[in-house]
Amino acid sequence: MEEQLPTTLTDKPKVLLVDDEESILSSLRRLLRGQPYDVLLATSGAQALEIMAQQPIDLVMSDARMPNMDGATLLAHIHQLYPTTTRILLTGYADLPTIIKAINDGQIHRYISKPWNDEELQLTLRQALEHHHSELERRRLVQLTRQQNDQLKTLNTTLEKHVAARTSELQQTADMLDLAYEELKHSYVTGTEVFSLLANLRLPPAKQTNRQIIELVRVYCKLHGLDEGTSRDLTMAAALYNIGKLSWTDSMMITPSDMLHHIDRDRYREYPKQSESLLMTLDPMKDAARLILHHQERWDGSGFPDRLKGEAIPFGSRLLKLAVDFIELQRGLILERQMNSDEALVYIRNYAGRLYDPELVEDFIQVCAAYLSDVTLADPSVKVLTTRDLAPGMILARNLNADNGMLLLNAGKVLNAPLVDKLIAFETMEGAKYSVFVKVPEEVEALLERATS
């Protein structure tokens, strides 16, 4: 069967919604009333294929769970019969096999979870149709380029002026192709950020990481002037770095990695490979997938999956590890104790040269200080001391909490000798080791220097 395409790119787009529940279709039809495209409805996969055999369809959004033919199977058939039709999966289940089948066999463009957010669903459909329009335009330009090349072969070589004019035309066409392809890649960046919500849905709000990591990576790229391609790959990698964790149990998802049992720890070490394998089928994602594969490598070569060492680790993977660990330390996903932002940066600084690229660490700390208002570590007037290094007159630069989260002292508190002794005693009783962020007034600094001289 030959696929039918719109005769012009100005035809009104057609969207086909497929769901075995008529109430869902009615809700979607009401939501999409007045949109600049025609909406068609089907209550089964078979009915959807009949509609598509009769007229060209620009976009199909199908429910995942349907009798006789599920959504993943339907989208796989559509991919084979009508490859230019954009395909979206709509489901309320975190069913990894169905999602993998939809990605690998159906080559889906997006994933939307039930219950959906009306504004997000409308935005997703609009972006998907823009992506579809760009792809059709790219195909048209490719066909136009081929036609022009065939015409050039028939031209007489003596018509130099004619050849020069045609060459100029081809250059303009190539520029348009590049622009169309860049638009496609931008659509992939937007799509990955939406798809990253899938991993976050498995976590309680206090444990979610992807949005913060995406924003942190973007700030680093902007402040350091990284090129557009590198920034795009890093953003997509930050959005989907943990997509390979979707098959984990709920308890494993929220357990700190240092607290995992032996069997779960082996499974944990496999998640970068699983994330990469899910993304490698999508050509614009290949570079981002490689960054994800190696983002748990360590500078000293003790990481996974390939035990790469030093600069053998891709730059983007080294940067992604800093961002991932910085956020996950604060979410309690690495150590049992949740750290604040400064404590997480102290941890990273302490492991520079072992876990992290020592050349990147200080730059990363400066970026965090510029991006986050609660980071004090980059302030040269702030020192990180143990309780036994504290002295009267020092001022707390940020709140001091016990390991169990209890607030001990507020930022701005001026220390005195009895208070320091109490902190040392409480620390000993807890069996803990506090990192205290303080500012040291000049007169206190002078007293300490005289005492040590």
Side-chain angles (χ1 to χ4, degrees):
M1 181 185 299
E2 184 176 353
E3 184 180 7
Q4 296 178 330
L5 295 174
T7 56
T8 72
L9 294 180
T10 58
D11 290 346
K12 192 174 182 180
K14 294 181 180 179
V15 175
L16 175 60
L17 308 177
V18 188
D19 199 303
D20 61 313
E21 296 184 33
E22 294 188 357
S23 61
I24 297 295
L25 292 178
S26 297
S27 297
L28 289 171
R29 180 167 50 190
R30 286 194 301 271
L31 174 63
L32 301 178
R33 185 180 294 124
Q35 295 296 324
Y37 45 78
D38 293 329
V39 176
L40 294 85
L41 306 178
T43 57
S44 67
Q47 185 184 10
L49 292 175
E50 290 176 3
I51 292 173
M52 296 193 70
Q54 298 170 3
Q55 57 187 306
I57 299 296
D58 296 277
L59 184 148
V60 175
M61 183 170 70
S62 173
D63 185 32
R65 296 296 183 102
M66 297 188 296
N68 300 324
M69 184 189 305
D70 62 28
T73 302
L74 170 62
L75 296 179
H77 284 315
I78 293 174
H79 172 58
Q80 293 175 352
L81 297 173
Y82 314 100
T84 63
T85 298
T86 300
R87 298 164 295 280
I88 294 177
L89 186 68
L90 178 66
T91 181
Y93 302 87
D95 186 348
L96 186 58
T98 300
I99 294 169
I100 292 175
K101 181 178 180 182
I103 292 174
N104 291 339
D105 297 342
Q107 298 286 292
I108 62 172
H109 176 71
R110 298 281 177 86
Y111 166 92
I112 302 176
S113 61
K114 290 181 178 178
W116 63 80
N117 176 280
D118 289 351
E119 293 182 359
E120 290 179 356
L121 187 141
Q122 291 174 327
L123 176 62
T124 296
L125 291 181
R126 183 164 66 251
Q127 291 177 336
L129 287 170
E130 290 173 355
H131 172 280
H132 179 75
H133 180 275
S134 297
E135 176 62 16
L136 290 181
E137 176 69 2
R138 186 187 67 82
R139 289 170 179 261
R140 186 188 71 80
L141 292 173
V142 169
Q143 184 179 13
L144 175 61
T145 302
R146 289 173 180 168
Q147 292 173 352
Q148 291 176 337
N149 279 330
D150 291 341
Q151 293 172 5
L152 282 172
K153 292 178 182 178
T154 64
L155 291 175
N156 191 303
T157 56
T158 59
L159 302 177
E160 294 181 0
K161 291 183 178 180
H162 188 67
V163 171
R166 187 64 67 185
T167 301
S168 176
E169 251 181 71
L170 286 172
Q171 183 58 54
Q172 292 177 6
T173 301
D175 292 342
M176 293 175 69
L177 278 171
D178 290 340
L179 178 60
Y181 187 60
E182 287 301 316
E183 290 177 357
L184 279 175
K185 289 191 285 187
H186 177 73
S187 295
Y188 263 93
V189 173
T190 304
T192 55
E193 292 188 35
V194 174
F195 200 57
S196 71
L197 296 175
L198 180 63
N200 274 337
L201 288 175
R202 295 290 312 282
L203 292 166
K207 297 285 186 181
Q208 293 178 7
T209 61
N210 297 64
R211 171 52 54 190
Q212 291 76 18
I213 295 173
I214 291 171
E215 292 175 355
L216 189 57
V217 163
R218 278 182 169 159
V219 171
Y220 187 98
C221 292
K222 181 178 180 179
L223 293 181
H224 285 78
L226 300 187
D227 63 84
E228 183 180 352
T230 300
S231 301
R232 180 173 55 244
D233 291 337
L234 275 165
T235 300
M236 290 193 292
L240 298 176
Y241 81 96
N242 56 353
I243 199 74
K245 297 181 180 180
L246 285 176
S247 61
W248 290 6
T249 62
D250 289 343
S251 62
M252 187 175 171
M253 288 285 290
I254 62 175
T255 300
S257 58
D258 274 12
M259 305 276 298
L260 292 171
H261 296 300
H262 177 70
I263 295 177
D264 288 340
R265 189 177 296 274
D266 290 340
R267 191 175 184 186
Y268 171 81
R269 294 171 70 90
E270 289 295 320
Y271 91 82
K273 281 188 176 180
Q274 291 178 350
S275 297
E276 183 211 27
S277 65
L278 285 171
L279 303 175
M280 284 301 291
T281 56
L282 305 173
D283 187 69
M285 291 292 300
K286 287 183 179 179
D287 290 336
R290 178 171 174 266
L291 300 183
I292 292 172
L293 175 65
H294 295 300
H295 82 279
Q296 284 294 352
E297 306 285 0
R298 295 177 173 179
W299 185 257
D300 63 3
S302 63
F304 56 88
D306 296 329
R307 300 182 69 85
L308 298 184
K309 183 176 182 180
E311 293 188 357
I313 306 169
F315 166 79
S317 298
R318 285 178 265 152
L319 176 58
L320 183 60
K321 178 169 180 58
L322 283 167
V324 167
D325 284 9
F326 175 63
I327 298 300
E328 290 194 349
L329 282 167
Q330 296 176 70
R331 300 294 184 269
L333 295 176
I334 296 178
L335 304 176
E336 183 178 14
R337 173 175 172 266
Q338 289 185 232
M339 297 183 174
N340 60 45
S341 55
D342 274 330
E343 289 171 332
L345 291 175
V346 169
Y347 177 94
I348 287 172
R349 179 180 277 171
N350 289 341
Y351 282 95
R354 292 170 60 188
L355 306 185
Y356 312 106
D357 179 352
E359 297 295 327
L360 278 179
V361 166
E362 293 305 319
D363 277 349
F364 182 76
I365 290 174
Q366 294 298 324
V367 168
C368 291
Y371 168 58
L372 300 169
S373 60
D374 65 334
V375 171
T376 64
L377 190 63
D379 185 345
S381 67
V382 174
K383 294 185 177 181
V384 186
L385 302 178
T386 66
T387 55
R388 285 166 174 76
D389 293 325
L390 298 176
M394 292 181 177
I395 304 169
L396 282 183
R398 66 176 303 150
N399 292 346
L400 177 61
N401 295 86
D403 282 353
N404 61 9
M406 180 178 69
L407 177 64
L408 298 178
L409 293 173
N410 287 313
K413 182 70 175 179
V414 180
L415 300 178
N416 54 42
L419 195 54
V420 172
D421 291 339
K422 287 182 181 179
L423 284 177
I424 294 173
F426 192 81
E427 180 185 57
T428 303
M429 181 180 66
E430 270 203 324
K433 187 176 181 180
Y434 302 149
S435 294
V436 188
F437 296 80
V438 298
K439 290 189 176 183
V440 184
E442 292 181 2
E443 59 271 18
V444 176
E445 187 78 47
L447 287 173
L448 292 174
E449 288 179 0
R450 285 198 296 269
T452 57
S453 62

